[in-house]
Amino acid sequence: MNENDYLKELLASQALGEDSDEWKALDEKAAEIEGIVRAAYPGSDIHFTHGGSRAKGTMIREDYDLDEVCYFQNDDAAPGDTLEEIYENLAALLGESYQVRRKRSPLRLIDKKGRDVHVDFVPGRYVDQSSWDVFIHQNDGDKERLKTNIVLHVDYVHESGCTDVIMLAKLWKTRNGIAIKTFPLELLVIEALKNDNTGNLDDRFRRVLGAFADAIDELSIEDPANPTGNDLSHALPDSLRRTLSKIAADTLKTADDYGWEHVFGKLQTTKASFPHVQVLRNAAAAAPVRTAPWNEEE
Amino acid sequence: MSSPWFERDPASLRALEHTLRARYPTLHVFLENGTCHVRGTIAVVENDRYQLDIELPDDYPDSLPLVWETGGRIPQELDRHVLPIGALCLGVPLRLGIALKGRFDIESILEIPVRNFLIGNSLVERGEDWPHGDRAHGVAGILEEFDELIGTDDKMRVSRFLLDVLQGKIRGHWPCPCGSGLVLRKCHREGWETIRKAPRWLLHHSLDAIMKDLERRTKKARAG
């Protein structure tokens, strides 16, 4: 298998189809959340839709989520007068069924047993009667509200012609523990391939890593839904740029010296998300030297 | 203040980077504020990956690094063997020094205590016990190690034994500290040899911890 074939097989092994357990679980959660919200606001005309990697076609087994978007009409005061009120009221409502972690704009939902359900809930309100652009609440940053458009976000990524490289870049990010959020990474990949998206997957992924390694400061990202209004600099601070550059350079050198299979490992042989207990027990039994954890503190 | 190891010995830094590329391609070296960190992820088995930040000490590889799990997976609790600073408590330092033969290089650390800890954690997450047991907190855990090595967890006996080892006074015909009545070379000879060969700073670490605990308890008894 050549380098490009390996990368294609790797992506195929990461694919999550509609019949996958993960996909079905997301559908069930989305329906459950929608039911909770509709029941709480029976008089509201609420628009639910999906964003995130599933809508963009960039979902991979090791890094997937669903942005469950919930938009109220511009003149609907039932969920709250201000965006912050809407955000907090929805957080309180969902907090009855889930643990809710407040992120910059979304509410990350964790089940009551502490398991991540891979859903970011994003409440918002349409800017006007056209039901197109929306305002969402922001916890950090200069502005308390953000004007955005999830349809434009999804289309921008989905129609970029880069979704395969984006999926690889997401796997690379996850495997290397890089603390970049998915959307800025997607924008960076598209930007890095903006002038040349030719060649096979290997060529294009190397081009992206090369741009990260050698020219990360020349890559700028902007919100396709509001290019001049939304500042994304918080999503790509200088320290993160340095980290991306360093790991990209390391990865390219490792791939040159040893090949992609060494970087990403053997293709996954199981579709399970977690290892079986017996696999872990066997691994523990095979330890060359046994050590037991301790704690210095009493 | 002396310069950090990677400035004194750039060849060692290159060797570290080479080792990571060759064996752990998703771990990377970062030099920050005079400290060397190794960051990224490792898989302990297929589909089970942990995100780590390993801070190598100034005298790398002669002493223990600090290891943080940075993916938010391990609860920051003493009972999960996480120190208040968030670093993992991989084991009693003396035992780790013995297991790693006094060399805390990145491969040894990752392959033995880190891998054991993380596989153990994955099992604990699934409701299983730590596969190789877990040590009691504090001095009690140190004494458990001595109980395995020389057959006693008595603080006075262990500290006396450690002092004698550090001063190079112990002889094989001395009575075994376990209290069996046999001479040391016919009883816990193996444990004695193991302790004698351990790095001295680890023996001091154990002795200091036991002595401090004795002092604290003595003061408490007097006050009470």
Side-chain angles (χ1 to χ4, degrees):
Chain A
M1 196 184 326
N2 67 29
E3 290 288 85
N4 190 59
D5 288 343
Y6 168 80
L7 290 179
K8 283 162 62 181
E9 290 287 321
L10 177 66
L11 277 193
S13 74
Q14 287 284 328
L16 283 173
E18 286 183 33
D19 58 341
S20 65
D21 292 343
E22 290 88 345
W23 189 289
K24 287 177 193 162
L26 287 181
D27 275 342
E28 282 171 19
K29 283 294 156 205
E32 185 178 298
I33 293 160
E34 196 174 322
I36 292 170
V37 177
R38 286 201 191 282
Y41 300 103
S44 295
D45 174 15
I46 311 169
H47 180 64
F48 285 94
T49 187
H50 299 161
S53 57
R54 191 167 117 175
K56 292 168 182 166
T58 59
M59 197 162 160
I60 58 168
R61 194 172 294 279
E62 289 184 35
D63 182 7
Y64 68 93
D65 54 34
L66 176 75
D67 285 358
E68 176 70 358
V69 171
C70 162
Y71 294 152
F72 291 87
Q73 295 305 316
N74 170 257
D75 55 357
D76 185 357
D81 286 332
T82 66
L83 288 166
E84 186 174 8
E85 280 176 22
I86 295 175
Y87 183 85
E88 289 301 333
N89 288 340
L90 269 295
L93 174 67
L94 293 172
E96 293 169 15
S97 308
Y98 298 93
Q99 294 179 45
V100 176
R101 190 179 301 153
R102 288 163 173 76
K103 295 167 69 173
R104 191 177 177 94
S105 290
L107 299 163
R108 185 71 171 186
L109 303 183
I110 318 286
D111 75 13
K112 289 288 188 186
K113 289 179 181 167
R115 287 178 300 218
D116 189 359
V117 296
H118 297 273
V119 174
D120 278 332
F121 182 80
V122 189
R125 180 150 65 193
Y126 283 114
V127 167
D128 51 34
Q129 303 296 325
S130 68
S131 300
W132 182 237
D133 289 335
V134 293
F135 285 128
I136 57 175
H137 173 65
Q138 279 203 130
N139 282 312
D140 315 311
D142 296 337
K143 299 176 185 172
E144 280 186 17
R145 70 178 191 183
L146 186 76
K147 184 182 165 189
T148 191
N149 188 314
I150 197 162
V151 178
L152 291 178
H153 281 186
V154 169
D155 286 351
Y156 186 78
V157 174
H158 194 253
E159 308 303 324
S160 66
C162 306
T163 50
D164 53 353
V165 184
I166 286 172
M167 289 163 78
L168 260 186
K170 284 173 65 179
L171 185 61
W172 172 75
K173 163 209 146 167
T174 304
R175 291 280 179 92
N176 289 283
I178 305 171
I180 185 170
K181 289 189 165 49
T182 301
F183 189 46
L185 179 66
E186 291 167 342
L187 296 177
L188 277 176
V189 170
I190 294 168
E191 183 69 10
L193 294 173
K194 184 175 66 179
N195 295 325
D196 184 3
N197 193 21
T198 60
N200 61 25
L201 185 58
D202 178 31
D203 298 331
R204 290 154 63 232
F205 186 48
R206 283 176 183 274
R207 196 172 299 137
V208 168
L209 292 182
F212 288 3
D214 301 329
I216 190 73
D217 292 329
E218 291 164 29
L219 297 176
S220 60
I221 56 171
E222 56 186 31
D223 184 345
N226 191 1
T228 52
N230 292 345
D231 177 16
L232 292 182
S233 58
H234 63 85
L236 202 56
D238 192 54
S239 58
L240 182 53
R241 285 180 186 267
R242 303 283 79 76
T243 298
L244 282 167
S245 174
K246 159 75 176 158
I247 296 178
D250 279 358
T251 304
L252 278 175
K253 181 157 178 46
T254 308
D256 288 344
D257 291 350
Y258 302 97
W260 285 123
E261 186 167 349
H262 182 78
V263 173
F264 286 107
K266 291 200 183 305
L267 296 173
Q268 211 162 294
T269 55
T270 167
K271 297 288 182 194
S273 298
F274 296 105
H276 194 276
V277 167
Q278 192 56 48
V279 172
L280 291 163
R281 285 190 195 134
N282 293 345
V289 180
R290 297 177 172 206
T291 54
W294 174 59
N295 209 317
E296 199 173 333
E297 302 286 323
E298 294 197 42
Chain B
M1 211 169 89
S2 65
S3 55
W5 66 271
F6 51 84
E7 286 178 9
R8 293 193 305 272
D9 186 7
S12 290
L13 178 62
R14 285 194 296 276
L16 171 66
E17 292 196 293
H18 177 77
T19 299
L20 294 181
R21 274 199 302 277
R23 293 214 53 192
Y24 310 99
T26 50
L27 288 172
H28 308 274
V29 169
F30 291 88
L31 303 179
E32 289 171 3
N33 306 319
T35 306
C36 180
H37 290 258
V38 173
R39 295 193 183 117
T41 71
I42 62 164
V44 290
V45 294
E46 188 178 71
N47 291 338
D48 200 7
R49 193 167 277 277
Y50 283 86
Q51 189 175 319
L52 302 176
D53 181 348
I54 303 168
E55 184 181 319
L56 301 181
D58 284 345
D59 61 348
Y60 174 81
D62 293 334
S63 60
L64 271 166
L66 287 168
V67 181
W68 284 266
E69 187 274 316
T70 50
R73 179 166 165 183
I74 303 178
Q76 307 274 300
E77 296 165 7
L78 289 180
D79 284 345
R80 293 296 287 270
H81 304 286
V82 179
L83 293 167
I85 58 166
L88 308 179
C89 204
L90 301 171
V92 172
L94 176 64
R95 174 57 76 181
L96 298 183
I98 291 167
L100 276 61
K101 299 185 169 62
R103 257 189 86 75
F104 301 98
D105 58 275
I106 194 76
E107 277 180 286
S108 304
I109 282 287
L110 288 171
E111 289 305 317
I112 300 176
V114 169
R115 192 171 288 277
N116 286 345
F117 188 103
L118 298 178
I119 290 172
N121 182 73
S122 294
L123 284 164
V124 169
E125 282 175 351
R126 288 157 178 76
E128 302 266 313
D129 292 330
W130 288 93
H132 312 308
D134 60 337
R135 291 294 179 217
H137 293 185
V139 170
I142 296 176
L143 292 167
E144 284 176 8
E145 294 290 356
F146 282 100
D147 196 26
E148 278 191 8
L149 288 162
I150 55 170
T152 180
D153 59 2
D154 180 84
K155 284 176 203 160
M156 294 305 291
R157 286 189 196 183
V158 171
S159 51
R160 182 74 253 167
F161 180 80
L162 278 172
L163 268 174
D164 289 340
V165 170
L166 283 163
Q167 290 168 3
K169 292 200 304 199
I170 290 194
R171 298 290 175 266
H173 63 273
W174 284 21
C176 187
C178 74
S180 64
L182 295 171
V183 294
L184 189 50
R185 67 169 167 262
K186 290 193 174 172
C187 195
H188 283 91
R189 178 182 186 144
E190 198 180 329
W192 167 43
E193 296 282 357
T194 303
I195 291 170
R196 204 168 57 169
K197 288 176 194 161
R200 290 178 68 82
W201 72 269
L202 289 170
L203 303 184
H204 279 293
H205 172 272
S206 295
L207 183 60
D208 289 350
I210 296 168
M211 296 303 283
K212 276 182 193 157
D213 188 70
L214 278 169
E215 276 173 32
R216 199 173 63 237
R217 284 172 197 276
T218 307
K219 273 186 194 164
K220 202 173 166 185
R222 281 184 190 147

